[in-house]
Amino acid sequence: MQKKNSVYIATSLDGRIADRNDGIAWLDAIPIPEGEDMGYYAFTNEIDALVMGRNTFETVLGFDVEWPYQKPVYVLSNQLKEIPESHQGKAFLVNGTLTEVLEQIHSQGHTRLYIDGGSTIQSFLKEDLIDEMIITTFPIVLGGGPSLFGEFPKELQFELVESKVFFGQLVQNHFVRKRG
Amino acid sequence: MQKKNSVYIATSLDGRIADRNDGIAWLDAIPIPEGEDMGYYAFTNEIDALVMGRNTFETVLGFDVEWPYQKPVYVLSNQLKEIPESHQGKAFLVNGTLTEVLEQIHSQGHTRLYIDGGSTIQSFLKEDLIDEMIITTFPIVLGGGPSLFGEFPKELQFELVESKVFFGQLVQNHFVRKRG
């Protein structure tokens, strides 16, 4: 079974995933036509499960919306004791090294994973565990806030497989890790 | 006369302009066909002069190549006492605040400026003095080295005017500052 760890995320022109107050209102600066999802549905259709950190999980819980995921969500956390009762059966706690975590998840038959959340993506990149990235760039320089990328021990060469422009303003690039 | 400060630069996927040893060998990872300049000539044809910092100036002087610029180069420096004799008439020392510097340069009839070098570009962005950016992204995560962008006091909205893919691997986006 194909194993693949994928990222699908939006960043500012300066590579940030949130503004200096951890806000994402800047994503609304570009009006997105109703019904246009920029390939998100097609992307999530090809994944078995999500992997995110506690921060992202709790942020999503905090949104005043229905639980947005159709697929199992694995929450990486050494701090969290258990998933809130309301979300049991939908979200699952995992911990250990990333290799251990991936073994646990793969053993459930979930091999095509959507890796989400800034610090989780960075942890995966640090260990060269990201296989593809779909990054949509918004034409704004935020000047502050958390960056998608950080400091990594080695260079990672990717290959561009597709580049699309949405609404004349958003550039979505699809990169696949080029190994060996 | 139109006044415009432009950036034309290559960055890694993680927004760096050099690797952790200040090297640019990663630019050679994508073979560029002979004679292809990715719009550089057309870009430089539309500018009157370059503005760069002392670091970039001295780096270029250190390259074992002929002086690469056909247009006057203004070197921003409060440290440098004078331009080396070999480059007088080609490079000119300017100093003061960016507003003062721009006044000096504009008074020479040079109004369309190519702003180059990481820290000079950041100084201009900090004061919202960049009008357009042509950024070519290479599909590599460097994981270390100087970033094109830094911390800025305010958000700067740009408009995408063109997005091109070169050699199937390099994405060149042209952004224009959207003011007011």
Side-chain angles (χ1 to χ4, degrees), chain A residues 101-175:
Chain A
V101 160
L102 286 172
E103 270 172 23
Q104 290 170 58
I105 299 175
H106 293 159
S107 74
Q108 303 298 309
H110 300 140
T111 55
R112 301 169 308 169
L113 307 176
Y114 176 4
I115 312 302
D116 203 18
S119 60
T120 302
I121 295 169
Q122 290 198 3
S123 310
F124 273 74
L125 279 170
K126 264 189 189 122
E127 303 191 24
D128 192 8
L129 290 169
I130 294 298
D131 301 298
E132 68 170 354
M133 301 191 286
I134 297 167
I135 301 175
T136 306
T137 302
F138 281 62
I140 184 172
V141 175
L142 291 173
S147 290
L148 173 57
F149 297 104
E151 300 283 322
F152 305 117
K154 61 166 193 161
E155 298 183 359
L156 306 173
Q157 189 76 50
F158 283 80
E159 197 160 347
L160 181 73
V161 294
E162 196 169 20
S163 181
K164 286 183 193 170
V165 175
F166 288 100
F167 329 123
Q169 288 306 305
L170 310 181
V171 182
Q172 184 181 80
N173 294 326
H174 185 159
F175 299 101

Side-chain angles (χ1 to χ4, degrees), chain B residues 144-163:
Chain B
S147 291
L148 172 57
F149 297 105
E151 301 284 323
F152 305 118
K154 64 167 193 160
E155 299 182 0
L156 307 172
Q157 190 76 50
F158 283 79
E159 196 160 348
L160 180 73
V161 294
E162 194 169 22
S163 181

Side-chain angles (χ1 to χ4, degrees), chain B residues 2-13:
Chain B
Q2 186 199 19
K3 286 177 188 153
K4 191 158 79 163
N5 299 326
S6 306
V7 167
Y8 178 105
I9 203 161
T11 75
S12 65
L13 197 32

Side-chain angles (χ1 to χ4, degrees), chain A residues 22-39:
Chain A
D22 276 327
I24 52 170
W26 50 279
L27 293 171
D28 301 327
I30 306 296
I32 313 278
E34 186 91 27
E36 175 56 76
D37 76 344
M38 295 188 277

